[in-house]
Amino acid sequence: GLYLGLWVIIFSAPSHVMDGALWKFALKDLVQQQHLAISALAISGGILEILWWAGGARRPGRLTFRNDIWHILWTLNMMYIGIMFLTHPQHDHARGTIIHT
């Protein structure tokens, strides 16, 4: 997730990072917005997993990070990433348009 986000805002055109052109493009382009959303979802899924791992023992009747709800949220998060990845548009440079795959 972190790499995808950094790719959108830094690695894809490092020469345009300092003048802000790459960030402006990323915020206006639908494909790059979706890449940033996928990146944020992947990072949040990773944080959920780390919190579950570090959450300690289960305590009946109390909501801890070892509760199954966090794994359900992680699963829904990953499913949303998969759906977004499968349905997000791609640039068609030959026609100069965005197409859905």
Side-chain angles (χ1 to χ4, degrees):
L2 183 60
Y3 179 76
L4 181 59
L6 290 175
W7 177 262
V8 171
I9 60 174
I10 295 175
F11 298 140
S12 62
S15 61
H16 292 291
V17 171
M18 296 308 286
D19 63 5
L22 186 59
W23 183 246
K24 290 175 191 173
F25 170 74
L27 291 179
K28 290 181 182 177
D29 185 52
L30 178 62
V31 174
Q32 300 310 323
Q33 290 173 9
Q34 290 176 329
H35 285 154
L36 289 172
I38 290 170
S39 173
L41 286 168
I43 290 169
S44 66
I47 290 170
L48 279 172
E49 189 67 17
I50 290 170
L51 288 174
W52 185 87
W53 173 77
R58 293 177 187 236
R59 294 184 191 110
R62 293 189 61 199
L63 184 64
T64 66
F65 280 110
R66 281 293 173 126
N67 194 306
D68 289 336
I69 187 90
W70 301 110
H71 266 199
I72 293 168
L73 286 175
W74 179 87
T75 303
L76 293 172
N77 195 9
M78 293 298 125
M79 286 173 45
Y80 190 67
I81 289 172
I83 290 167
M84 189 181 279
F85 179 75
L86 290 173
T87 61
H88 83 290
Q90 299 292 324
H91 289 287
D92 184 359
H93 295 290
R95 292 188 287 182
T97 60
I98 294 178
I99 59 168
H100 285 276
T101 54

